[in-house]
Short mmCIF file of all heavy atoms in Angstrom, two decimals:
data_model
loop_
_atom_site.label_atom_id
_atom_site.label_comp_id
_atom_site.label_asym_id
_atom_site.label_seq_id
_atom_site.Cartn_x
_atom_site.Cartn_y
_atom_site.Cartn_z
N GLY I 355 118.59 117.95 88.86
CA GLY I 355 119.40 118.02 87.64
C GLY I 355 120.10 116.71 87.37
O GLY I 355 119.66 115.66 87.82
N GLU I 356 121.17 116.77 86.60
CA GLU I 356 121.89 115.55 86.24
C GLU I 356 122.72 115.04 87.43
O GLU I 356 123.49 115.81 88.04
CB GLU I 356 122.84 115.83 85.07
CG GLU I 356 123.63 114.63 84.58
CD GLU I 356 122.77 113.59 83.86
OE1 GLU I 356 121.65 113.94 83.43
OE2 GLU I 356 123.25 112.46 83.72
N CYS I 357 122.54 113.80 87.78
CA CYS I 357 123.26 113.23 88.93
C CYS I 357 124.66 112.82 88.52
O CYS I 357 124.90 112.36 87.41
CB CYS I 357 122.51 111.98 89.45
SG CYS I 357 120.83 112.32 90.05
N MET I 358 125.58 113.03 89.41
CA MET I 358 126.99 112.76 89.16
C MET I 358 127.32 111.32 89.60
O MET I 358 126.89 110.85 90.67
CB MET I 358 127.89 113.72 89.89
CG MET I 358 127.68 115.17 89.48
SD MET I 358 128.01 115.44 87.73
CE MET I 358 129.78 115.11 87.70
N LEU I 359 128.09 110.60 88.76
CA LEU I 359 128.51 109.27 89.09
C LEU I 359 129.59 109.31 90.20
O LEU I 359 130.61 109.96 90.01
CB LEU I 359 129.08 108.56 87.85
CG LEU I 359 129.61 107.16 88.04
CD1 LEU I 359 128.48 106.22 88.47
CD2 LEU I 359 130.30 106.64 86.75
N ALA I 360 129.31 108.66 91.31
CA ALA I 360 130.27 108.66 92.44
C ALA I 360 131.19 107.47 92.36
O ALA I 360 132.39 107.60 92.68
CB ALA I 360 129.51 108.64 93.75
N HIS I 361 130.67 106.28 91.98
CA HIS I 361 131.53 105.11 91.91
C HIS I 361 130.86 104.03 91.12
O HIS I 361 129.64 103.93 91.02
CB HIS I 361 131.84 104.60 93.33
CG HIS I 361 133.15 103.88 93.45
ND1 HIS I 361 134.35 104.54 93.63
CD2 HIS I 361 133.47 102.58 93.36
CE1 HIS I 361 135.34 103.69 93.70
NE2 HIS I 361 134.82 102.47 93.53
N THR I 362 131.71 103.17 90.55
CA THR I 362 131.24 102.00 89.80
C THR I 362 131.91 100.75 90.41
O THR I 362 133.10 100.72 90.63
CB THR I 362 131.62 102.05 88.30
OG1 THR I 362 131.04 103.23 87.75
CG2 THR I 362 131.11 100.85 87.54
N HIS I 363 131.10 99.77 90.70
CA HIS I 363 131.56 98.49 91.27
C HIS I 363 131.26 97.33 90.32
O HIS I 363 130.14 97.30 89.74
CB HIS I 363 130.93 98.17 92.61
CG HIS I 363 131.26 99.18 93.68
ND1 HIS I 363 132.47 99.21 94.33
CD2 HIS I 363 130.54 100.18 94.23
CE1 HIS I 363 132.47 100.19 95.22
NE2 HIS I 363 131.29 100.77 95.20
N ARG I 364 132.21 96.44 90.21
CA ARG I 364 131.95 95.20 89.51
C ARG I 364 131.46 94.15 90.53
O ARG I 364 132.14 93.95 91.58
CB ARG I 364 133.17 94.70 88.79
CG ARG I 364 133.55 95.56 87.59
CD ARG I 364 134.54 94.87 86.69
NE ARG I 364 134.80 95.65 85.51
CZ ARG I 364 134.07 95.69 84.44
NH1 ARG I 364 132.98 94.93 84.40
NH2 ARG I 364 134.37 96.45 83.40
N LEU I 365 130.36 93.50 90.26
CA LEU I 365 129.76 92.60 91.20
C LEU I 365 130.43 91.24 91.23
O LEU I 365 130.05 90.39 92.03
CB LEU I 365 128.25 92.44 90.94
CG LEU I 365 127.47 93.73 91.03
CD1 LEU I 365 126.03 93.47 90.59
CD2 LEU I 365 127.51 94.34 92.39
N PHE I 366 131.41 91.05 90.36
CA PHE I 366 132.06 89.75 90.30
C PHE I 366 133.55 89.81 90.56
O PHE I 366 134.26 88.91 90.20
CB PHE I 366 131.77 89.10 88.96
CG PHE I 366 130.28 88.80 88.81
CD1 PHE I 366 129.49 89.75 88.19
CD2 PHE I 366 129.75 87.65 89.31
CE1 PHE I 366 128.12 89.50 88.09
CE2 PHE I 366 128.39 87.43 89.20
CZ PHE I 366 127.56 88.35 88.59
N GLY I 367 134.01 90.92 91.09
CA GLY I 367 135.36 90.99 91.54
C GLY I 367 136.36 91.37 90.49
O GLY I 367 136.12 91.26 89.28
N VAL I 368 137.49 91.82 90.95
CA VAL I 368 138.53 92.32 90.08
C VAL I 368 139.10 91.17 89.22
O VAL I 368 139.25 91.30 88.01
CB VAL I 368 139.65 92.98 90.90
CG1 VAL I 368 140.86 93.31 89.98
CG2 VAL I 368 139.12 94.20 91.61
N ASP I 369 139.38 90.02 89.87
CA ASP I 369 139.99 88.96 89.11
C ASP I 369 139.12 88.41 88.00
O ASP I 369 139.57 88.17 86.92
CB ASP I 369 140.38 87.82 90.06
CG ASP I 369 141.46 88.24 91.05
OD1 ASP I 369 142.20 89.18 90.73
OD2 ASP I 369 141.54 87.59 92.12
N GLU I 370 137.81 88.27 88.33
CA GLU I 370 136.90 87.73 87.33
C GLU I 370 136.77 88.74 86.18
O GLU I 370 136.62 88.38 85.05
CB GLU I 370 135.55 87.45 87.98
CG GLU I 370 135.63 86.30 88.91
CD GLU I 370 134.33 86.17 89.69
OE1 GLU I 370 133.44 85.47 89.24
OE2 GLU I 370 134.21 86.75 90.79
N GLY I 371 136.69 90.04 86.53
CA GLY I 371 136.57 91.03 85.48
C GLY I 371 137.77 91.06 84.56
O GLY I 371 137.65 91.12 83.35
N ARG I 372 138.96 90.92 85.13
CA ARG I 372 140.18 90.91 84.32
C ARG I 372 140.27 89.65 83.48
O ARG I 372 140.76 89.64 82.36
CB ARG I 372 141.42 90.97 85.23
CG ARG I 372 141.63 92.35 85.81
CD ARG I 372 142.78 92.34 86.81
NE ARG I 372 143.06 93.68 87.34
CZ ARG I 372 143.87 93.95 88.32
NH1 ARG I 372 144.51 92.93 88.93
NH2 ARG I 372 144.05 95.16 88.72
N GLY I 373 139.71 88.57 83.97
CA GLY I 373 139.70 87.32 83.24
C GLY I 373 138.95 87.43 81.93
O GLY I 373 139.19 86.69 81.00
N GLU I 374 138.00 88.41 81.88
CA GLU I 374 137.25 88.60 80.64
C GLU I 374 137.73 89.83 79.89
O GLU I 374 137.10 90.33 78.99
CB GLU I 374 135.74 88.76 80.95
CG GLU I 374 135.17 87.50 81.56
CD GLU I 374 133.66 87.61 81.72
OE1 GLU I 374 133.11 88.69 81.39
OE2 GLU I 374 133.05 86.67 82.16
N GLY I 375 138.87 90.34 80.30
CA GLY I 375 139.47 91.47 79.61
C GLY I 375 138.80 92.78 79.92
O GLY I 375 138.94 93.73 79.19
N ALA I 376 138.07 92.86 81.02
CA ALA I 376 137.39 94.08 81.39
C ALA I 376 138.18 94.88 82.39
O ALA I 376 138.89 94.29 83.20
CB ALA I 376 136.01 93.77 81.96
N GLU I 377 138.06 96.21 82.35
CA GLU I 377 138.72 97.06 83.31
C GLU I 377 137.90 97.10 84.59
O GLU I 377 136.70 96.85 84.63
CB GLU I 377 138.86 98.46 82.75
CG GLU I 377 139.78 98.47 81.47
CD GLU I 377 139.96 99.90 80.98
OE1 GLU I 377 139.38 100.81 81.59
OE2 GLU I 377 140.67 100.10 80.00
N CYS I 378 138.58 97.47 85.66
CA CYS I 378 137.98 97.36 87.01
C CYS I 378 137.33 98.68 87.42
O CYS I 378 136.57 98.72 88.41
CB CYS I 378 138.97 96.93 88.03
SG CYS I 378 139.70 95.34 87.67
N ASP I 379 137.60 99.78 86.76
CA ASP I 379 137.01 101.08 87.07
C ASP I 379 137.21 101.45 88.55
O ASP I 379 136.35 102.09 89.16
CB ASP I 379 135.50 101.09 86.74
CG ASP I 379 135.28 100.84 85.27
OD1 ASP I 379 136.08 101.33 84.51
OD2 ASP I 379 134.28 100.16 84.97
N GLY I 380 138.30 101.05 89.13
CA GLY I 380 138.59 101.39 90.51
C GLY I 380 137.70 100.71 91.52
O GLY I 380 137.66 101.10 92.70
N SER I 381 137.01 99.69 91.13
CA SER I 381 136.10 99.03 92.06
C SER I 381 136.88 98.21 93.09
O SER I 381 137.82 97.52 92.75
CB SER I 381 135.14 98.14 91.30
OG SER I 381 134.34 97.39 92.14
N GLU I 382 136.39 98.30 94.32
CA GLU I 382 136.98 97.47 95.38
C GLU I 382 135.91 96.56 95.92
O GLU I 382 134.91 96.98 96.49
CB GLU I 382 137.48 98.35 96.54
CG GLU I 382 138.12 97.57 97.66
CD GLU I 382 138.60 98.48 98.79
OE1 GLU I 382 138.58 99.68 98.61
OE2 GLU I 382 139.01 97.94 99.84
N VAL I 383 136.06 95.28 95.68
CA VAL I 383 135.11 94.27 96.17
C VAL I 383 135.79 93.39 97.16
O VAL I 383 136.80 92.75 96.88
CB VAL I 383 134.56 93.41 95.00
CG1 VAL I 383 133.60 92.36 95.51
CG2 VAL I 383 133.88 94.32 93.96
#
Side-chain angles (χ1 to χ4, degrees):
E356 182 71 17
C357 299
M358 299 298 295
L359 179 64
H361 209 83
T362 301
H363 296 284
R364 291 195 176 277
L365 300 176
F366 296 93
V368 173
D369 294 338
E370 292 171 90
R372 286 176 177 170
E374 296 187 358
E377 296 182 0
C378 300
D379 299 324
S381 174
E382 180 181 352
V383 178

